[in-house]
Amino acid sequence: LFEIMSFQDFGKPGAGRRPQNYNHNARSSLPGPSVGGIGVGESRDPQFSAVSDAILQYQRNVGILERITRNIGTKSDGPVLDTQLKVQVDVVQQLGVKIEKQLRDEEIRIQSMPRTEAGRSRATHIKLSRDYRRVETNFKNILLEAKRKRSLTDARRREMEEHDQRKKFEEGLQDDNTRFQIQIQEDKLNEEIMREREEEIRNINKGMHQVNEIYKDLAHIVASQQEQIDEVEAHMENANQNAESGLQQVEKANAASESSCLIS
C-alpha cells in the first residue's frame, strides 16, 4: 500500500497516494549526485520531511563544493578560492552535524512509536540514512580530491619557485663571473702598470749608479792629477832652490874674481 521514493521525491506530486492535507508546494529535487530510493510510507511525516530537506540542502552544498574544487589549479585559483573552499567545507560539515542529530533524534522517536508506524518510519529512516551516507561519501571524496589537487598545485608552485630561484642563482653566477673577469682584467692592468713602474725605478737606479761611477772616476782622475801637480810643484821648488844656490855661487865667483883683480 505504500510507494518507495527517494528523499528528493519526498513530497513531490505523483509520488504515491497522499493524504488530503498533503502540501502540494513541497520542494522538487535539485541537481546533484543521484541517490537511492527511500521508503517513507503513505503519509508525509513532518520530521522526516525536515530530514529530507536537510539532505537536499546538504547535497546542494556538496555540489557547490565540487564546483569550487574544480577551480583548484586553474587561473581562478588563489586566496579568494581558498577562502571559499574553507567556508563551503565548514557549511557542509555543519549541515552534516545537523543531519546526524536529526537522524539520531528520529531513531529515538521511532522507538516510542507503535509497531506498525515504527516499521514504516524505520524503513524511511534507513533509506534517508543510506542516502545521507552516499552524499557524505561523495563529500569525503571531494575533500580528498581537493587535497590532492591542492598538493599537486603547491608542488607545481614550489617547482616554479625553485626554477625561478635557480634561474636567478645562475644569473647571479653569470654576473659574478662577469665581475670576476672584469676584476681579473683590472688586476692584470694594475700588475702591468706596477711592472712598468718597477722597470722605470730600476732604470733610474741604474742611471744613478752610472752617475755615481762617473763621479768616482772623476774623483780618481782628479786625485791622480793632484799627485802630478804636487810633483811639478816639488820640481819647481827644487829648481828654484838650485837657481838660488847657483846664483849665490855665481855671486861668490864674481866676488872672488874681483878680489883677484885688485890684488894683481
Side-chain angles (χ1 to χ4, degrees), residues 64-76:
I64 295 173
L65 179 63
E66 186 176 10
R67 289 193 294 271
I68 294 174
T69 302
R70 293 195 192 105
N71 290 324
I72 297 177
T74 65
K75 294 181 179 180
S76 302

Side-chain angles (χ1 to χ4, degrees), residues 33 58-59 61-63 65-66 69 85-86 88-94 96 132-146:
Y58 184 77
Q59 183 181 12
N61 281 275
V62 169
L65 179 63
E66 186 176 10
T69 302
L85 181 66
K86 292 177 181 178
Q88 192 61 28
V89 168
D90 186 62
V91 169
V92 174
Q93 288 175 340
Q94 291 181 13
Y132 164 68
R133 295 304 174 191
R134 289 176 181 174
V135 181
E136 183 186 35
T137 299
N138 186 38
F139 167 60
K140 292 179 179 179
N141 290 335
I142 292 172
L143 288 182
L144 291 175
E145 178 65 11

Side-chain angles (χ1 to χ4, degrees), residues 7 13 34 72 100-101 109 116 118 155-156 164 180 197 211 214 224 226 263:
F7 78 91
S34 61
I72 297 177
E100 293 277 1
K101 183 178 184 302
R109 189 171 68 91
T116 302
R156 290 176 179 173
D164 293 339
F180 181 70
R197 290 180 179 177
V211 171
I214 292 173
S224 62
Q226 185 65 39
I263 293 173

Side-chain angles (χ1 to χ4, degrees), residues 1 25-26 46 49 88 92 96 115 141 145 158 192 203 219 221 235 240:
L1 297 177
N25 295 322
S49 178
Q88 192 61 28
V92 174
R115 180 177 298 178
N141 290 335
E145 178 65 11
R158 288 192 299 268
E192 186 66 25
N203 292 333
I221 293 171
H235 290 309
N240 186 28

Side-chain angles (χ1 to χ4, degrees), residues 4 20 40 50 64 84 93 106 151 184 193 219 224-225 251 259:
I4 302 300
Q20 293 181 354
V40 295
I64 295 173
Q84 292 176 347
Q93 288 175 340
E106 289 305 307
S151 299
I184 289 177
I193 293 173
S224 62
Q225 290 178 351
E251 289 178 350
S259 297

